[in-house]
Amino acid sequence: MTAQTSVPTSIRPGAQWRNWGRSERTRPEFVAQPTSVDEVVETINFARDHGLTVKAWGAGHSFTSIAVTDGVHLDVGALDGVLAVDDTHVTLGAGTNLHQLPALLEPLGLALANMGDIDRQTISGAISTGTHGTGARFGGIATQVRGVTLVTAAGAVLRINATENPELLPAAALGLGALGILVDVTIECVPTFLLHAVERPEPADTVLNEWLQRSAETDHFEFYVWPHTTTALTKSNTRLPGDEPRHPLTKFSSWFDDEFMANGVYRAIVAAGKHVPAVIPPINRLAVKLSGNREFTDVSSRVFVTNRTVRFRELEYALPIDAVPDAVRAIQKLITDRKWKVSFPIEVRSAAADSLLLSTASGRATGYVAVHRYWREDPTEYFREVEAIMMAHDGRPHWGKLHNRHAESLSGMYPGFNEFLAVRELLDPGRVFTNDYLRQVLGK
Ligand SMILES: Cc1cc2nc3c(=O)[nH]c(=O)nc-3n(C[C@H](O)[C@H](O)[C@H](O)COP(=O)(O)OP(=O)(O)OC[C@H]3O[C@@H](n4cnc5c(N)ncnc54)[C@H](O)[C@@H]3O)c2cc1C
């Protein structure tokens, strides 16, 4: 029997925790806020020796219970910042938030190759769930990982990169938090670049017909189909060298579109729609008229990222890229047939195929289709029916967004599923890092 370790100084009694989407809450027995790798090791040894599970939490931006534990919640927020730079490879503390990156990377002349909608997440949380942006030639953030340092269940500090334990990288770069605690992450960055953004309302049917061509031709193409309208708002971003002239949005235009319309007015609209659903269709038509017609050029992070303050819940599936038009049309028909009033758009993005074991784009060019519901509305029925459509199109659920899939149905969806389970068995045989979510999606 292992000798029981005393309570490390970085550990205190747990407090109530909620995720951003308010779909999960927990009161863990302990919260640990380590300020060094040694304190992470101490925490894991303490938890393991006392029969407690450990989960790191990042920024709490997953909608699923993937970050939940009743044991020790480990906040890696103090392990942040740039730890090393080697040409374009930058090693970041695991708790670095994506919104810190422009200030950290721009002085080095570097940027992330691609980003998602927001930048509140931590780098470790983002890679652990396969967070992605859009662009048929670009992978999600985890595909840029060139190395990680992980503290395992045995309390060992394990380096995984091209020269040390390289065979573990396809699992550890996107590990669902199941393999250990990441303490640093090395990302391959790219030279700073600008994006020329064109945002337009267009006929949804045309956009769906042209989906494959436009996502292939445009560096970063995405669109939002508004229920109860025939319109899609398209966003086409083209990469330009970092020294080209910038033409950013004016302060007023940026505030009006991104804060006032997208957050302020929108919050009032979706809140009203919860009580009087009949107002949703005309309001969606108005929203489409008032937004999404602009063109500007700015540094990549400012174009990729938007500020989301209207709380919602989300389901997102990764489909074979050519399945997107049929799937979106099926969702449109579902909403019409069921006479549902849905205030949030259907969001469509793309990613290149990659070779990470549990990446939702593993082995296939991918189209992502996401649906959302205001956080005070019950999403169950809408999400369940959309999920059935996604499954009929061979879909894989985003690990951080709501879904109902289990290991039995997921294992056949990923060529590397069993290899991932073998790595987990090697690094965490006693399941120190498990929780209900991991038991659901990975099995025991
Ligand atoms: C408003 C909003 C917008 C979003 N936009 C996008 C988007 O554009 N694209 C997209 O793909 N997703 C998007 N997401 C989903 C989000 O990016 C992911 O759920 C992401 O994992 C959240 O990161 P986080 O830092 O909050 O991690 P958390 O949700 O806190 O944790 C996620 C997982 O990472 C693990 N983890 C965290 N830190 C560590 C560590 N140090 N070591 C080991 N494991 C760790 C946790 O244990 C957990 O398993 C969005 C979510 C929200 C709420």
Side-chain angles (χ1 to χ4, degrees), residues 20 55-63 66-67 76 94 116-118 121-122 124-126 128-132 176-177 180-182 308 312 316 349 398 400-401:
W20 182 90
K55 292 281 12 141
W57 89 60
H61 272 55
S62 295
F63 298 92
I66 191 166
V76 290
D117 279 350
I118 60 156
Q121 309 94 319
T122 58
S124 50
S128 296
T129 59
T131 293
H132 62 89
L176 311 189
I181 301 300
L182 298 162
R308 293 281 165 83
F312 57 83
E316 184 177 57
R349 295 181 279 181
H398 188 303
K401 302 190 183 178

Side-chain angles (χ1 to χ4, degrees), residues 172-193:
L174 199 168
L176 311 189
L179 306 179
I181 301 300
L182 298 162
V183 290
D184 66 51
V185 178
T186 301
I187 300 282
E188 180 167 355
C189 298
V190 297
T192 45
F193 61 101

Side-chain angles (χ1 to χ4, degrees), residues 41 44-45 48 151-157 426-429 432-433:
V41 173
I44 291 171
N45 288 341
R48 186 197 57 237
V151 181
T152 68
V157 178
L426 181 75
L427 298 181
D428 186 18
V432 172
F433 303 112

Side-chain angles (χ1 to χ4, degrees), residues 9 31 88 95 168 240 245 259 274 278 282 284 379 409 430:
T9 48
V31 171
T88 55
L168 300 179
L240 298 173
E259 300 300 331
K274 177 183 175 342
N284 280 11
S409 80

Side-chain angles (χ1 to χ4, degrees), residues 213-360:
Q213 185 197 341
R214 292 185 65 180
S215 54
E217 281 172 357
T218 315
D219 289 331
H220 305 276
F221 180 67
E222 66 186 303
F223 63 92
Y224 297 80
V225 175
W226 284 81
H228 321 296
T229 79
T230 53
T231 304
L233 295 181
T234 59
K235 291 189 176 193
S236 307
N237 294 335
T238 303
R239 297 165 86 94
L240 298 173
D243 55 4
E244 294 270 313
R246 292 195 300 131
H247 301 286
L249 290 169
T250 62
K251 273 213 165 73
F252 175 77
S253 167
S254 169
W255 170 82
F256 183 79
D257 288 348
D258 297 335
E259 300 300 331
F260 183 67
M261 287 303 296
N263 288 316
V265 171
Y266 196 57
R267 180 182 295 105
I269 288 171
V270 293
K274 177 183 175 342
H275 300 292
V276 192
V279 302
I280 290 173
I283 282 176
N284 280 11
R285 288 191 282 275
L286 185 65
V288 163
K289 277 203 185 107
L290 291 177
S291 57
N293 209 345
R294 58 187 193 174
E295 194 168 342
F296 56 100
T297 302
D298 209 341
V299 294
S300 57
S301 57
R302 269 179 237 155
V303 179
F304 281 136
V305 167
T306 48
N307 184 18
R308 293 281 165 83
T309 63
V310 180
R311 235 175 263 284
F312 57 83
R313 292 176 183 159
E314 181 171 353
L315 168 144
E316 184 177 57
Y317 262 73
L319 310 179
I321 193 164
D322 53 3
V324 162
D326 282 354
V328 172
R329 287 192 172 101
I331 299 172
Q332 288 176 303
K333 181 171 180 322
L334 172 73
I335 294 171
T336 307
D337 288 354
R338 302 297 288 270
K339 299 187 171 49
W340 286 330
K341 305 287 184 273
V342 177
S343 47
F344 278 80
I346 305 162
E347 182 180 13
V348 179
R349 295 181 279 181
S350 64
D354 65 55
S355 53
L356 301 177
L357 301 181
L358 291 191
S359 167
T360 50

